[in-house]
Amino acid sequence: MLSALDSVVLAIDIGGTKMACGLISQTGELLAAERFATAESLDPEVLFAPLQAACQRLIDQSPLAPKAIGVGCGGPMRYPEGIVSPLNIHGWRDFPLRDRLIESFNLPTIVDNDAKALAVGERWRGAGHGSNNMLGMVVSTGVGGGVILDGKLLHGESGNAGHVGHIVVWPNGPPCGCGARGCVEGTASGSGLARRLAMAQAEGQPTSLPRDATAADIAAAARVGDGLARFLFRTAGEAVGRGIASAAALLDLERVVIGGSIALLAWDLLGPPLEAELHASAQLDFTRNLKVVHAELGDRAGLFGAAQLGLSLL
Ligand SMILES: [Zn+2]
């Protein structure tokens, strides 16, 4: 039960397909939440208006006035300014999200990367519970991450610490959206898998898959024995395992929490090569006991993470 001594924060989770906002107490109680589809518009105000309205409805019905706002949003962004240009929200380019929320609600506000928020959320209420040295990883349309070291979320020079998706694990490997080759993201993300399939089809490699197959289609084909689909997922799992081994050696991690749609829908295909490659590559004593676990909070991780970011301002 909410006590009058509790603090409440407004948590906001912004993605390319949906937005969510919620009221969360400092004891981790989700008091109310709203979810809605991200508007398809190039007008930044058409994107912001429903978010502002949903937040206002939550504040109006809250038994306690929220004391801060925490936001997890897709990158890239300028941190800590909170000026966002999410890759998959085309209507927001250099949109001053943090300033607009401060103008609207007059509360201390922090805007951070959505993968960093997931890491913080899973540590607070999910599979990262009790870990002071963990990597939270999202394997989805892209591959993102957030690092908690010595109990603190790492930010780095420009707020971008934790971009585990761009560790290079395959010299001269598949092209990545970032412009490099052989990144974890270019190999194992949903967009990377689709791009690699298209390239293999253009080279004439045999497969049962149609030209515009999604990562879910590739997973289904791999399960019924399509050789190319099986190769794509095996190398994807190896890429993630190699990336985790490198991160573990660099950071001395205790745990890796993996979430995201690809990890969720295809762990049967991704997990075994990941574990095998991790086992082969993590040979230092301190990396051998690294635990790789599934995220537990699903689409609530972003909201709980955003709430923790907000609570950090109090
Ligand atoms: Zn990359």
Side-chain angles (χ1 to χ4, degrees), residues 90-174:
H90 301 287
W92 280 356
R93 286 296 169 267
D94 289 329
F95 183 72
L97 179 59
R98 179 169 171 268
D99 283 352
R100 293 300 304 277
L101 289 167
I102 291 171
E103 276 166 29
S104 300
F105 302 110
N106 196 26
L107 290 167
T109 300
I110 180 172
V111 176
D112 207 336
N113 178 282
D114 53 358
K116 286 163 72 182
L118 174 130
V120 168
E122 286 287 339
R123 180 179 181 237
W124 188 27
R125 304 288 295 172
H129 199 72
S131 183
N132 283 325
N133 296 290
M134 61 163 272
L135 166 66
M137 197 168 174
V138 186
V139 184
S140 182
T141 311
V143 174
V147 176
I148 290 157
L149 213 58
D150 302 327
K152 295 193 191 76
L153 178 65
L154 296 191
H155 295 291
E157 177 71 14
S158 62
N160 285 298
H163 268 66
V164 63
H166 302 280
I167 294 180
V168 175
V169 290
W170 187 348
N172 293 315

Side-chain angles (χ1 to χ4, degrees), residues 1-303:
M1 278 300 288
L2 192 61
S3 114
L5 298 173
D6 255 345
S7 289
V8 170
V9 292
L10 180 64
I12 301 174
D13 181 18
I14 292 176
T17 53
K18 57 185 186 303
M19 297 189 181
C21 52
L23 287 166
I24 296 179
S25 74
Q26 70 186 112
T27 51
E29 201 180 340
L30 179 62
L31 304 169
E34 288 201 24
R35 275 176 202 284
F36 48 95
T38 302
E40 284 185 33
S41 172
L42 291 178
D43 181 343
E45 298 307 323
V46 171
L47 286 154
F48 185 68
L51 176 65
Q52 184 187 33
C55 290
Q56 190 64 57
R57 280 194 295 275
L58 287 180
I59 290 172
D60 289 346
Q61 72 186 42
S62 175
L64 289 176
K67 291 185 173 167
I69 301 175
V71 185
C73 181
M77 70 178 61
R78 271 190 268 161
Y79 175 90
E81 295 89 340
I83 298 172
V84 303
S85 309
L87 280 181
N88 46 15
I89 303 180
H90 301 287
W92 280 356
R93 286 296 169 267
D94 289 329
F95 183 72
L97 179 59
R98 179 169 171 268
D99 283 352
R100 293 300 304 277
L101 289 167
I102 291 171
E103 276 166 29
S104 300
F105 302 110
N106 196 26
L107 290 167
T109 300
I110 180 172
V111 176
D112 207 336
N113 178 282
D114 53 358
K116 286 163 72 182
L118 174 130
V120 168
E122 286 287 339
R123 180 179 181 237
W124 188 27
R125 304 288 295 172
H129 199 72
S131 183
N132 283 325
N133 296 290
M134 61 163 272
L135 166 66
M137 197 168 174
V138 186
V139 184
S140 182
T141 311
V143 174
V147 176
I148 290 157
L149 213 58
D150 302 327
K152 295 193 191 76
L153 178 65
L154 296 191
H155 295 291
E157 177 71 14
S158 62
N160 285 298
H163 268 66
V164 63
H166 302 280
I167 294 180
V168 175
V169 290
W170 187 348
N172 293 315
C176 180
C178 74
R181 282 184 168 273
C183 297
V184 175
E185 178 167 308
T187 308
S189 68
S191 57
L193 286 162
R195 192 186 308 120
R196 292 174 63 205
L197 174 69
M199 288 173 62
Q201 287 170 322
E203 288 170 4
Q205 291 190 38
T207 175
S208 59
L209 284 159
R211 289 245 158 222
D212 55 353
T214 64
D217 300 329
I218 301 171
R223 290 189 189 105
V224 295
D226 184 279
L228 177 58
R230 292 184 73 83
F231 170 78
L232 292 174
F233 263 100
R234 176 171 60 74
T235 44
E238 288 170 354
V240 176
R242 219 169 282 153
I244 289 172
S246 299
L250 184 69
L251 298 169
D252 193 0
L253 300 170
E254 181 264 335
R255 200 176 309 181
V256 178
V257 178
I258 300 190
S261 59
I262 302 291
L264 201 66
L265 74 89
W267 190 255
D268 57 323
L269 300 166
L270 207 62
L274 184 160
E275 295 280 359
E277 184 61 35
L278 177 61
H279 187 69
S281 298
Q283 290 289 334
L284 294 164
D285 280 347
F286 70 88
T287 61
R288 277 199 195 117
N289 296 322
L290 180 68
K291 289 194 278 289
V292 177
V293 296
H294 282 282
E296 288 175 356
L297 297 175
D299 61 5
R300 290 178 304 148
L303 274 187

